[in-house]
Structures are given as C-alpha cells and as structure tokens.
Amino acid sequence: MVPLVFDSPHSGREFPADFDAVVTQAELRQAEDCYVDELYAAAGELGAPLLAAAFPRTYVDPNRHAGDVDLDLIEGAWPWEYSPSGKASIGKALVWRTLEDGRPIYSRKLKPEIIRRRIERCHVPYHQALKEHLDAAYRRFGRVLHINCHSMRSVGSKNSYSGLGT
C-alpha cells in the first residue's frame, strides 16, 4: 500500500444526452487524454485509487475551478461565483466553447442553468470523490501524493504555448 491517489480528469468517453454540440463526437474526442486512465489502471495493484472522469472535458472540465466560466459562452448574466483563469480567451474554460482548431462546439450560447446543472451533475461529484480519496489516504498514511494524470501531443496547437497551463 502506498500514499498515492491518481486522477485522470480528461479520459471521459461517455457523452451526456444533453451535450447538444454541433461538432461530431469524434471531433470532441480529440480533446480527450485518450487511454490515460488505462495507462494508470495498475495503480489499484499498488493499493492506490484511480479516479477517472466518465464525462468528456469539453462538456465540463474537472481540472477547472467551478467559477472558471467563459462569459462569451453564456446567454445573459452569470449569477454564481466567477473565478476566471484566462482559459476562456482560448475557449477552454470550465465548459469548452471551441475545439483546438477554434471551431465552435455549440451553435448558440448556453443558459447559465445549463452550465450549473453540469457543475452539479459532474464537476461537484468528481471533486467530492477526489477529496474522499485524498482524505482516506491521508488518514491512513499521514501524507498523500496526488498524481493528476494527463497526456500531451507530440506537436502542440497554437494554444499550447499560451502560458495558460492545462
């Protein structure tokens, strides 16, 4: 047993019925960290949990703060916490507005309630589960190492060098 917790926030392959994107699932899947969850699946053999998102990061990105909302994607005013990271400028905030190549994911702006439901249905439970794993490891070992699992393309897009991080 080891004091490790792994999470793969961008491996989600289950597209919710209410996604309503105007691009194909194949195009949306290009934003995945494909198979990263499978690469780290052996974590369980070490007694370390692996949390993997089931939903795609383009639907809601668990690696973003719940308040990191792209106001250009919202219809009307955003009435909840707003904590921008700068990723909205490239369409990659909590809910992605654009694909890597800049094409829009939606044909319209989204109502704030739509984003809020995604947060409550996906983002909040993901972070609750991650916190539970981290807390359990800390209680058991008195320390914990969190490994946030990602993949990188061999050649980045123009947005890869924005200095805005993952």
Side-chain angles (χ1 to χ4, degrees):
M1 300 301 227
V2 293
L4 293 172
V5 173
F6 294 84
D7 87 293
S8 182
H10 300 154
S11 293
R13 298 182 271 286
E14 297 173 17
F15 288 84
D18 68 345
F19 200 121
D20 203 25
V22 295
V23 293
T24 68
Q25 284 187 10
E27 291 167 314
L28 291 166
R29 290 203 63 198
Q30 292 175 16
E32 283 176 31
D33 284 348
C34 292
Y35 311 112
V36 167
D37 53 333
E38 293 179 21
L39 289 171
Y40 286 91
E45 295 172 19
L46 301 171
L50 168 64
L51 176 64
F55 52 89
R57 77 192 285 196
T58 49
Y59 183 75
V60 64
D61 190 338
N63 247 27
R64 300 282 173 261
H65 185 280
D68 188 6
V69 176
D70 182 345
L71 298 179
D72 287 341
L73 180 61
I74 304 298
E75 178 184 305
W78 177 252
W80 297 286
E81 179 181 3
Y82 179 59
S83 182
S85 68
K87 295 297 270 186
S89 66
I90 58 170
K92 311 289 183 284
L94 177 70
V95 173
W96 284 29
R97 177 174 36 89
T98 63
L99 296 175
E100 289 290 338
D101 62 11
R103 283 183 295 147
I105 292 174
Y106 302 96
S107 64
R108 60 179 173 39
K109 293 186 176 209
L110 303 179
K111 294 182 183 205
E113 295 77 21
I114 291 172
I115 304 297
R116 190 73 192 163
R117 279 194 299 273
R118 291 182 186 190
I119 293 168
E120 291 168 357
R121 204 170 61 240
C122 299
H123 194 272
V124 168
Y126 188 89
H127 282 272
Q128 286 174 337
L130 181 57
K131 182 180 183 326
E132 289 169 10
H133 287 307
L134 293 168
D135 289 348
Y138 186 81
R139 281 191 305 274
R140 181 165 190 188
F141 299 102
R143 63 191 172 116
V144 63
L145 300 171
H146 173 211
I147 300 178
N148 189 245
C149 308
H150 294 275
S151 66
M152 299 295 290
R153 294 185 172 115
S154 59
V155 177
S157 70
K158 66 179 180 175
N159 293 327
S160 298
Y161 307 102
S162 65
L164 296 173
T166 59

